[in-house]
Amino acid sequence: MQHFADRLQAAIIEKQNPTVMGLDPMLSYVPERIVSFYQKEVDDPLLATGLSIYEFNRRLIDSVHDLIPAVKPQLAYYEQYGIHGMEALRQTITYARKKNLLVILDGKRNDIGSTADAYARAYLGQTRWIDGTEKAAMSADALTINAYLGSDGIVPFLKQAKEHGKGLYILVRTSNPSAGDLQDLKLEDGRTVYEAMASLVSDWGKDMIGDSGYASAGAVVGATWPQQAETLRHLMPHTPILVPGYGAQGATADDTMPNFDQHGNGAIVNASRSLMCAWKKHEMDHEQFEQAARKEAMAMKQALREALQKSGRWQ
Amino acid sequence: MQHFADRLQAAIIEKQNPTVMGLDPMLSYVPERIVSFYQKEVDDPLLATGLSIYEFNRRLIDSVHDLIPAVKPQLAYYEQYGIHGMEALRQTITYARKKNLLVILDGKRNDIGSTADAYARAYLGQTRWIDGTEKAAMSADALTINAYLGSDGIVPFLKQAKEHGKGLYILVRTSNPSAGDLQDLKLEDGRTVYEAMASLVSDWGKDMIGDSGYASAGAVVGATWPQQAETLRHLMPHTPILVPGYGAQGATADDTMPNFDQHGNGAIVNASRSLMCAWKKHEMDHEQFEQAARKEAMAMKQALREALQKSGRWQ
């Protein structure tokens, strides 16, 4: 398969929109019409829950797939619904890829050696089954990972990503208020912990740079920290950035700009609740969540385009 | 439910053995007798894989449950087998708890806000299903987590742990060779990153200390770093420590001692491959993996008891 960073850049250019939609479903986000259907039709409440979640996702994908290049399911929201949640995730991934969307799986996985390899095979590679066949358990295009364990914890992910044309996004500076508890600590050499992490991330990607000029080993940098993003974009010139924190977490389109390069490439901005629950913001009926998500996705695309143009990154 | 650290300490004292058995199954660890049975009896190779994994775990548990207080399934090994792997995990947890073993789930999960809460509910708390009932998706006794994201990422886990009498183990100093890439960086105040993390962990646990004197928020400290463990035991006097790295990763019983307090409490030592694949070490037949695991578990119990006595921690 073609290089992940190149595939993502091509998809962003095709859709003219560097947005990824987070798919972080809670049962309470699913409107009554879907919930009551499955509650009536399916006896097992655990299975009915999983099917409702999948239908919610499928409808969201249908409503915006022509506008956005990628979706980002967050694993925790599926794990909370047990194996029926994981089956909803598997089906969501399959459906999204059928609709030509890239799938960035947000799992922030981390471990070492054969355990890291098991995670990497689970989501980016292939599993060997009892009949000797090798087939993906779930086949995403990229996975978020956490590098607190150092390079032993990253190499197995890099290996699977390279082998299968997949990507990684490694946590550097996260979007949350207390991100600095650890990430902002000052080192004796004057750098912060997150700057040290950025150098590691840049190194890990240096032999997997594609035609786009970007590596398949990316970084997560929260939109809520535009000043840090400025520094990090320079420290990691070949690293694609996944930018959470837009919308519900308070960051604006302008805040995300320092993550992009001068040509408007190298970053993708995530929005989860602001799209999934857009009916609230637009004071629409819950049953109209699809129309509301589309309306909000168009507004976000417009806001990002304007910010890119205003900052001279896009003509 | 009673406080996790108290329950664990009681179980360790009852079994006179601070060992936790890692359950990190690969299909290649399962002997031919089990594999060929499921391959013949079950048409779907993915389901047959999951059932083989579960039977392997169940037999391991049967072979050592009277010797050890706890098991530690590592999530990656189940996720690699997709939903059938997750079902094998769910059944393994249920079976282990039925056999009176505590279950420490090794997932190194991490995220913020509602996402961290979803992980915590998935493994320590309860999920609200479509019929309004609240029931655990998987019900472990403790979960390993990664605190790179700071306290926003920890508070939701602490909350669920407190509410349900469950525990957490937070990564401080991991057992792998490159653990130091990030964890050993020197801060301008003279501490290392892992020492700064230890202070955070100690703080997070301070209002959840049980009758045993230990908090339900523990730390992961690799057995491969006995000198760091000495420092960390002092920095975190009320923090129970989960100690990986014994056996297959090269650490000895003596290496693990600095993680224990002067009474021989406050730590539990993990062994995964050295028990699961003990037939290799003892040059026994693969089909005798259960007898080999039991033999190795008894040897490990003996080695830890001798090391505790030799170091004056146990009379």
Side-chain angles (χ1 to χ4, degrees):
Chain A
M1 197 182 288
Q2 204 200 328
H3 187 278
F4 167 73
D6 293 351
R7 288 193 284 134
L8 181 61
Q9 178 151 321
I12 291 173
I13 290 171
E14 186 201 326
K15 303 281 175 68
Q16 297 275 299
N17 185 11
T19 293
V20 51
M21 174 170 71
L23 288 172
D24 309 353
M26 296 287 298
L27 192 55
S28 60
Y29 298 171
V30 183
E32 184 53 29
R33 169 176 45 115
I34 297 174
V35 167
S36 60
F37 174 81
Y38 285 106
Q39 222 185 337
K40 210 175 71 188
E41 298 297 325
V42 179
D43 282 343
D44 176 3
L46 279 61
L47 174 59
T49 301
L51 293 170
S52 300
I53 293 293
Y54 172 61
E55 178 151 350
F56 177 70
N57 282 353
R58 190 171 55 70
R59 286 170 180 258
L60 277 174
I61 290 169
D62 282 342
S63 73
V64 299
H65 73 95
D66 59 322
L67 292 175
I68 61 170
V71 293
K72 182 175 78 66
Q74 159 51 255
L75 269 155
Y77 292 92
Y78 302 90
E79 291 174 62
Q80 71 181 331
Y81 297 115
I83 56 159
H84 299 291
M86 293 302 276
E87 178 62 15
L89 172 63
R90 196 182 67 80
Q91 304 240 23
T92 298
I93 292 173
T94 303
Y95 191 75
R97 298 190 72 179
K98 216 177 278 177
K99 289 286 179 179
N100 251 328
L101 294 166
L102 277 86
V103 178
I104 300 169
L105 205 49
D106 194 355
K108 299 183 176 65
R109 294 300 194 255
N110 62 110
D111 215 292
I112 55 170
S114 53
T115 310
D117 187 58
Y119 278 134
R121 282 186 288 100
Y123 300 112
L124 305 175
Q126 298 194 317
T127 294
R128 190 179 177 84
W129 303 93
I130 206 167
D131 59 352
T133 56
E134 302 219 351
K135 204 165 63 175
M138 301 215 186
S139 192
D141 294 288
L143 179 68
T144 63
I145 58 178
N146 178 324
Y148 185 74
L149 291 93
S151 57
D152 303 327
I154 302 304
V155 170
F157 288 102
L158 295 174
K159 189 174 164 285
Q160 291 291 333
K162 263 188 230 177
E163 204 171 310
H164 298 281
K166 304 297 179 78
L168 300 166
Y169 285 99
I170 301 160
L171 299 186
V172 172
R173 184 68 171 86
T174 56
S175 58
N176 54 307
S178 75
D181 281 0
L182 189 85
Q183 299 162 30
D184 286 1
L185 294 177
K186 268 266 189 197
L187 300 176
E188 60 176 5
D189 64 9
R191 296 182 303 167
T192 57
V193 166
Y194 72 80
E195 287 166 345
M197 183 62 88
S199 300
L200 289 169
V201 170
S202 184
D203 277 356
W204 288 323
K206 69 178 186 297
D207 65 343
M208 51 201 298
I209 296 173
D211 297 335
S212 59
Y214 281 98
S216 284
V220 177
V221 178
T224 42
W225 314 102
Q227 279 177 312
Q228 283 93 328
E230 187 103 34
T231 311
L232 291 169
R233 179 74 285 168
H234 288 288
L235 277 175
M236 308 183 292
H238 301 293
T239 304
I241 299 179
L242 171 65
V243 189
Y246 178 90
Q249 285 183 56
T252 65
D254 289 333
D255 292 334
T256 68
M257 287 303 114
N259 293 287
F260 290 87
D261 66 22
Q262 70 268 34
H263 307 295
N265 293 324
I268 190 162
V269 180
N270 180 72
S272 304
R273 265 169 298 166
S274 60
L275 295 175
M276 286 186 297
C277 303
W279 84 85
K280 288 182 191 169
K281 179 182 165 187
H282 294 292
E283 295 180 357
M284 290 163 74
D285 193 275
H286 193 165
E287 300 295 337
Q288 290 187 287
F289 73 103
E290 300 143 278
Q291 294 90 325
R294 185 170 178 85
K295 187 171 171 177
E296 187 62 22
M298 292 180 75
M300 183 175 170
K301 176 180 175 176
Q302 187 61 23
L304 287 171
R305 286 175 68 127
E306 282 172 14
L308 284 163
Q309 279 161 351
K310 200 173 67 180
S311 67
R313 288 180 170 85
W314 197 0
Q315 286 71 41
Chain B
M1 197 182 287
Q2 204 199 328
H3 187 276
F4 167 74
D6 293 351
R7 288 192 284 134
L8 181 62
Q9 178 150 323
I12 290 172
I13 289 171
E14 186 201 325
K15 303 280 174 71
Q16 295 278 298
N17 185 12
T19 294
V20 52
M21 175 171 69
L23 288 172
D24 310 353
M26 296 287 298
L27 191 56
S28 59
Y29 298 171
V30 183
E32 184 53 29
R33 170 176 43 116
I34 297 174
V35 167
S36 60
F37 174 81
Y38 285 106
Q39 224 186 335
K40 211 175 69 186
E41 298 296 327
V42 180
D43 282 342
D44 176 3
L46 280 59
L47 175 58
T49 302
L51 293 171
S52 300
I53 293 292
Y54 172 61
E55 178 150 350
F56 177 70
N57 282 352
R58 191 172 54 71
R59 286 169 180 259
L60 278 173
I61 290 169
D62 282 343
S63 72
V64 300
H65 72 95
D66 58 322
L67 292 175
I68 61 170
V71 291
K72 181 177 80 65
Q74 160 51 257
L75 268 155
Y77 293 92
Y78 303 90
E79 291 174 63
Q80 72 181 331
Y81 296 116
I83 57 160
H84 298 292
M86 293 301 276
E87 177 63 14
L89 173 63
R90 195 182 67 80
Q91 303 240 22
T92 297
I93 293 173
T94 303
Y95 191 74
R97 299 189 73 180
K98 217 178 275 177
K99 289 285 180 180
N100 251 328
L101 295 166
L102 277 86
V103 178
I104 299 170
L105 206 49
D106 195 355
K108 299 183 176 63
R109 294 300 193 255
N110 62 109
D111 215 294
I112 54 169
S114 53
T115 310
D117 187 59
Y119 278 134
R121 281 186 289 101
Y123 300 112
L124 305 175
Q126 298 193 318
T127 295
R128 191 180 176 83
W129 303 94
I130 205 166
D131 59 353
T133 55
E134 303 219 350
K135 204 165 64 176
M138 301 217 186
S139 192
D141 294 289
L143 179 68
T144 63
I145 59 177
N146 179 324
Y148 185 74
L149 292 93
S151 58
D152 302 328
I154 302 304
V155 170
F157 288 102
L158 296 173
K159 189 174 164 285
Q160 291 290 332
K162 263 187 230 175
E163 204 172 311
H164 299 281
K166 303 296 179 80
L168 300 167
Y169 286 100
I170 300 160
L171 299 186
V172 172
R173 183 68 170 84
T174 57
S175 58
N176 54 307
S178 76
D181 281 0
L182 188 86
Q183 299 162 29
D184 285 1
L185 293 177
K186 269 266 187 196
L187 301 175
E188 61 175 4
D189 64 9
R191 295 182 303 166
T192 57
V193 167
Y194 73 80
E195 287 167 345
M197 183 62 88
S199 300
L200 289 169
V201 170
S202 184
D203 276 357
W204 288 324
K206 69 177 187 296
D207 65 343
M208 52 201 296
I209 297 173
D211 297 336
S212 59
Y214 283 99
S216 284
V220 177
V221 178
T224 43
W225 313 103
Q227 278 177 312
Q228 283 93 329
E230 187 103 35
T231 311
L232 291 170
R233 180 72 286 169
H234 288 290
L235 278 176
M236 308 182 292
H238 301 293
T239 304
I241 298 180
L242 171 64
V243 189
Y246 178 89
Q249 284 181 58
T252 65
D254 289 334
D255 292 334
T256 68
M257 288 302 114
N259 293 288
F260 291 87
D261 66 23
Q262 71 268 35
H263 306 295
N265 294 324
I268 190 161
V269 180
N270 180 72
S272 302
R273 266 169 298 164
S274 60
L275 295 174
M276 285 187 297
C277 303
W279 84 86
K280 289 182 191 170
K281 179 182 165 187
H282 294 293
E283 295 179 358
M284 290 164 73
D285 193 273
H286 193 164
E287 301 294 338
Q288 291 187 287
F289 73 102
E290 299 143 278
Q291 294 90 324
R294 185 169 179 85
K295 189 172 170 176
E296 187 61 23
M298 291 179 75
M300 182 175 170
K301 176 179 175 175
Q302 189 59 25
L304 286 171
R305 286 174 68 127
E306 281 172 14
L308 283 164
Q309 279 161 352
K310 201 172 66 179
S311 68
R313 287 180 170 86
W314 197 0
Q315 286 70 41

